[in-house]
Amino acid sequence: MKSWKDNLRTIEPYIPGEQPDLPDMVKLNTNENPYPPSPRVIQAIKEFDAGSLRLYPDPSSKVLADAIAKTYNINNNQVFTGVGSDDVLAIAFMTFFNSNKPILFPDITYSFYDVWARLFGIPYIRPALDGSFHINAKDYYRENGGVVISNPNAPTGVCQSIDFLRDIIEHNRDVVVIIDEAYIDFSGKSALFLTKEYDNVLIIQTCSKSRSLAGMRIGYAMGNLELIKAMDDVRFSFNSYPMTRLSVAAGAAAMQDTAYFTETTDKIIKTREWTKKELKRLGFTFADSETNFIFATHQSVNATIIFNKLKEKHIFVRHFNAPRIDNYLRISIGTQEEMKYFISELEKIITDQ
């Protein structure tokens, strides 16, 4: 008799950043927003009718979709919502990448892409980024089953230009091109307007970063209504109620508070630029980041040593033990006070080596 274990689906999973729970920690390892959600979000949660939780939520998450549509000046039937952008991306992979041709995404990028491809049986090729962590456009001129570009890219922080993205799209008119804009609010270079020019472009964003709602899990896709309808059909084939009533209320409130969004995003960008100067002073090099993190390597001190020494001080950054990037640290941007403390402790570590 064959063992039931012979029928297990086995796959190497995505490994998220460590989630320590220490009262004195400085957590700079998962690109979370260091500032609390909008006061409107907090008020919406306080006023939320907990009794309504006995009822299923609206399958279309219309209140949230309407708020997103109004924010970006599009129609609500051009919006797809999901449980974080990971959920949205996974459904997009299932919906659009069903040929026997390989999809394309960089060798150094969000490490969930290849996990989904393997999970869903999608062939894929990962063209290598150049030495400056930029994409070579010609690598995407070949025949393929779809293209995924994280812009700005994670973990490198590099943001490709709109002209570059347009070139990629022009060479891939017969497949869906997904542009993952999880960090776009820290660069101000969204390609959303390209969805009006190209019917095969899907933009994916999240409330986890610039809108301080990582713990609420709210992501969304924007594109033409045919793309969104196809994703809805797939999503409703296995989960008709993906968004909770509370997450819809919180997400809509976050979208409506443009002033707070702008204020906190500007603070993070200002602190990021300050941190860049300090890291350079300490001997670090990095591609110019347009995100809420910096991906840096030191000229003489190994990243693993720095990572472990910081961890001893309850300062958490991200280290990827992967080819080409194993001597880099991804450093999320915290408050100005947190980054000043981080730099002071980092300087001690560098000096002692």
Side-chain angles (χ1 to χ4, degrees), residues 127-152:
L129 297 180
D130 67 19
S132 300
F133 293 147
H134 284 77
I135 296 172
N136 182 348
K138 293 181 180 180
D139 289 337
Y140 295 79
Y141 291 176
R142 71 183 85 180
E143 188 175 16
N144 63 74
V147 174
V148 185
I149 296 177
S150 174
N151 198 56

Side-chain angles (χ1 to χ4, degrees), residues 14 31 72 84-90 92-93 97 104-106 108-114 116 135 147-160 162 165 168-169 176-187 189-192 194-195 200-209 217-222 231 290-291 293 330:
Y14 170 77
N31 298 343
Y72 295 101
S85 60
D86 290 340
D87 178 49
V88 176
L89 280 160
F93 271 53
F97 301 152
L104 306 177
F105 50 84
I108 303 172
T109 190
Y110 186 31
S111 54
F112 226 142
Y113 297 158
D114 59 302
W116 287 316
I135 296 172
V147 174
V148 185
I149 296 177
S150 174
N151 198 56
N153 193 24
T156 65
V158 173
C159 189
Q160 305 286 167
I162 295 296
L165 295 176
I168 295 290
I169 296 165
V176 172
V177 177
I178 294 176
I179 303 176
D180 181 357
E181 292 189 340
Y183 300 97
I184 201 66
D185 293 325
F186 303 104
S187 76
K189 299 177 182 178
S190 177
L192 177 60
L194 294 179
T195 62
N200 63 321
V201 174
L202 187 75
I203 303 294
I204 296 180
Q205 295 188 12
T206 178
C207 289
S208 295
K209 315 301 180 185
R217 312 307 298 126
I218 301 169
Y220 49 99
M222 297 175 287
M231 291 180 68
E290 295 191 53
T291 62
F293 61 84
R330 193 192 68 190

Side-chain angles (χ1 to χ4, degrees), residues 174-249:
D174 295 329
V175 298
V176 172
V177 177
I178 294 176
I179 303 176
D180 181 357
E181 292 189 340
Y183 300 97
I184 201 66
D185 293 325
F186 303 104
S187 76
K189 299 177 182 178
S190 177
L192 177 60
F193 71 92
L194 294 179
T195 62
K196 297 180 180 179
E197 301 178 34
Y198 301 98
D199 62 1
N200 63 321
V201 174
L202 187 75
I203 303 294
I204 296 180
Q205 295 188 12
T206 178
C207 289
S208 295
K209 315 301 180 185
S210 57
R211 299 186 191 274
S212 304
L213 288 176
M216 194 60 75
R217 312 307 298 126
I218 301 169
Y220 49 99
M222 297 175 287
N224 80 70
L225 58 87
E226 290 183 85
L227 294 180
I228 301 305
K229 172 63 166 57
M231 291 180 68
D232 275 333
D233 289 347
V234 171
R235 190 260 301 282
F236 291 142
S237 296
F238 67 91
N239 185 358
S240 298
Y241 304 102
M243 305 295 292
T244 70
R245 286 173 171 268
L246 182 59
S247 61
V248 167

